[in-house]
Amino acid sequence: MIVAAVYMNRFNKLTQQFLRKTSLDAPVVCFDLGSAHTRMTVDGKLVFFDRSCFVTKKFTDHVIALGSNKVHTALSGNSQLESFCPVKQGKVADIQKLSVFLQALLQKYVKNSSSLPIVRPTIYCNLPSNLSKVQEEALRKSLEHAGGGIIIFISSSESIHNLIRVSYKNVNNIFAIDIGAEISNIVFLFSDSDPLERSIVWGADLFTHSIIEYVRDVYKVLLCNANAEKIKHEIASLPMGSNGKNQSLELTVRAKDLISNLPTTVTVQSSDFEHLFSELLSELIEVFELVFSKLNSEQVEAISENGLFLLGGGSQLRHLDSYLIRKLRIPVTIIRHPDTAIIRGVELARKQYEIS
């Protein structure tokens, strides 16, 4: 019995040493899985920021390419390949394909520093507020199947809260919107109550699609998605209002002539899109007004001091902050590097978990 006890004690010590070593040596991975883009960090370094898509050989899970440019190149003229986008409107569209995508990312970017091959990375993943419990479990299974060890979900409100508190001192009450490609998350964080979150099917892709439709109807040419994105980012804007005047900008891009079907070019003006974009923003303003109607007067007063914080890739639309200031009558601040704001918030949450 004594000998058995000695061996058991030794086994327990070895087990504890093994667990300590695996937890210390395990790489730490953070994910922000978006409908359009995925952001991924490994041990605090941003290693992947690209489209949430990949290419495999048909009828296999052998990944050939990850991200937009490589996917486009791989698909050109190759009928033996097919592409997938496993996340749509902020939700898991295909569990099995998401597992393949995540596994390919982990295999490419995670280097196991441990001498123990069993070590799996610890994964922190942003969890959109519109996911159901079923979707959350599906995402967890995808991360585990892809090779993740400990899985920790960080809510969007927690990510936003951490980032704004670190970036802007003495901010106690937060009103923010993360504008994604297809989904936008509205978050209210009050010092004396639980977070209020709402996800809406409204995002930056609406502006891209409206540009394509407008140019098709007015100029009788068809833009590819890449050139519509170029117009959106470089010249398209919202009106400045009575106190300011937009600088007139123009851009010439390639397109397909819808009459002759031949390649052509089209020159568009920034003023072409002001009214169009205002109509799209009116949908968002209506949602804001509805949400504000559910707040009490103290909460409205609390957020009016700090105003609205904008993050996400869609927040970079020209003059969006000025437009919202006029419509909402509160200050509007665009977070520094808004397109990586959520993954930075996940990183901050990860550091707090490690300390605790």
Side-chain angles (χ1 to χ4, degrees):
M1 294 291 292
I2 295 175
V3 173
V6 170
Y7 276 108
M8 180 60 70
N9 187 47
R10 185 177 297 174
F11 174 78
N12 287 338
K13 286 184 178 179
L14 289 172
T15 301
Q16 290 173 3
Q17 291 173 2
F18 172 80
L19 291 174
R20 279 200 302 270
K21 180 172 180 59
T22 55
S23 62
L24 289 172
D25 286 352
V28 178
V29 177
C30 294
F31 280 114
D32 175 20
L33 301 172
S35 304
H37 292 89
T38 289
R39 288 88 167 167
M40 173 186 180
T41 65
V42 178
D43 294 330
K45 180 181 179 182
L46 185 66
V47 296
F48 185 83
F49 177 9
D50 209 331
R51 302 290 294 187
S52 302
C53 56
F54 66 99
V55 169
T56 66
K57 290 183 178 179
K58 280 188 175 179
F59 313 115
T60 76
D61 289 335
H62 178 60
V63 176
I64 303 296
L66 293 162
S68 56
N69 291 332
K70 291 183 179 179
V71 163
H72 179 74
T73 302
L75 286 174
S76 298
N78 194 331
S79 60
Q80 300 303 311
L81 303 178
E82 54 187 344
S83 64
F84 299 95
C85 297
V87 181
K88 295 180 180 178
Q89 292 191 352
K91 297 182 179 181
V92 179
D94 189 316
I95 299 174
Q96 193 267 335
K97 293 304 179 184
L98 179 60
S99 297
V100 172
F101 177 58
L102 293 170
Q103 188 172 31
L105 287 172
L106 291 173
Q107 289 176 347
K108 182 173 182 178
Y109 293 106
V110 177
K111 308 300 180 185
N112 195 348
S113 60
S114 172
S115 58
L116 301 168
I118 197 172
V119 175
R120 289 180 160 219
T122 298
I123 295 179
Y124 294 81
C125 184
N126 179 62
L127 190 66
S129 59
N130 65 326
L131 283 193
S132 65
K133 289 297 182 183
V134 173
Q135 284 283 319
E136 181 180 333
E137 186 58 28
L139 179 54
R140 183 181 295 279
K141 288 181 178 178
S142 292
L143 290 165
E144 290 173 348
H145 187 266
I150 298 172
I151 311 296
I152 300 172
F153 287 133
I154 309 296
S155 68
S156 292
S157 60
E158 186 176 356
S159 298
I160 292 171
H161 177 269
N162 287 325
L163 183 64
I164 293 178
R165 285 289 176 82
V166 169
S167 303
Y168 303 90
K169 306 299 182 183
N170 302 318
V171 176
N172 296 316
N173 301 289
I174 297 170
F175 169 32
I177 179 169
D178 173 22
I179 305 177
E182 298 178 351
I183 297 290
S184 293
N185 293 313
I186 302 171
V187 177
F188 289 92
L189 300 168
F190 299 106
S191 56
D192 58 351
S193 62
D194 293 333
L196 299 175
E197 296 184 59
R198 178 167 180 176
S199 294
I200 57 173
V201 182
W202 186 96
D205 280 357
L206 287 173
F207 297 91
T208 305
H209 298 153
S210 67
I211 289 172
I212 293 173
E213 292 174 2
Y214 177 85
V215 172
R216 179 195 62 202
D217 295 342
V218 174
Y219 294 96
K220 309 304 179 188
V221 299
L222 183 63
L223 293 173
C224 66
N225 196 75
N227 281 339
E229 286 281 336
K230 186 176 182 180
I231 291 171
K232 181 175 71 176
H233 291 301
E234 294 188 15
I235 69 164
S237 68
L238 287 151
M240 290 286 287
S242 59
N243 295 328
K245 185 176 182 181
N246 282 359
Q247 179 185 2
S248 179
L249 299 173
E250 67 177 34
L251 182 67
T252 300
V253 295
R254 295 186 179 279
K256 174 185 176 181
D257 190 305
L258 290 175
I259 298 175
S260 67
N261 290 320
L262 296 175
T264 187
T265 59
V266 60
T267 300
V268 294
Q269 312 292 325
S270 56
S271 57
D272 287 340
F273 309 103
E274 291 180 8
H275 179 69
L276 189 66
F277 282 15
S278 294
E279 290 183 348
L280 292 175
L281 258 297
S282 66
E283 299 175 21
L284 182 62
I285 299 299
E286 288 177 5
V287 174
F288 283 154
E289 291 173 347
L290 178 61
V291 175
F292 269 90
S293 69
K294 301 181 182 300
L295 303 179
N296 60 45
S297 58
E298 289 78 13
Q299 290 173 326
V300 172
E301 182 181 351
I303 63 173
S304 64
E305 181 180 352
N306 297 315
L308 170 65
F309 292 92
L310 299 177
L311 56 153
S315 65
Q316 299 176 92
L317 187 66
R318 294 178 69 247
H319 305 319
L320 175 60
D321 52 346
S322 301
Y323 181 86
L324 291 175
I325 288 172
R326 292 200 316 276
K327 293 295 182 179
L328 300 177
R329 299 195 293 275
I330 59 174
V332 175
T333 303
I334 301 177
I335 297 286
R336 183 175 60 88
H337 305 309
D339 49 357
T340 58
I342 292 295
I343 193 67
R344 296 188 341 258
V346 174
E347 277 286 339
L348 290 169
R350 183 262 294 183
K351 292 176 182 176
Q352 290 181 356
Y353 276 81
E354 290 177 348
I355 291 172
S356 60

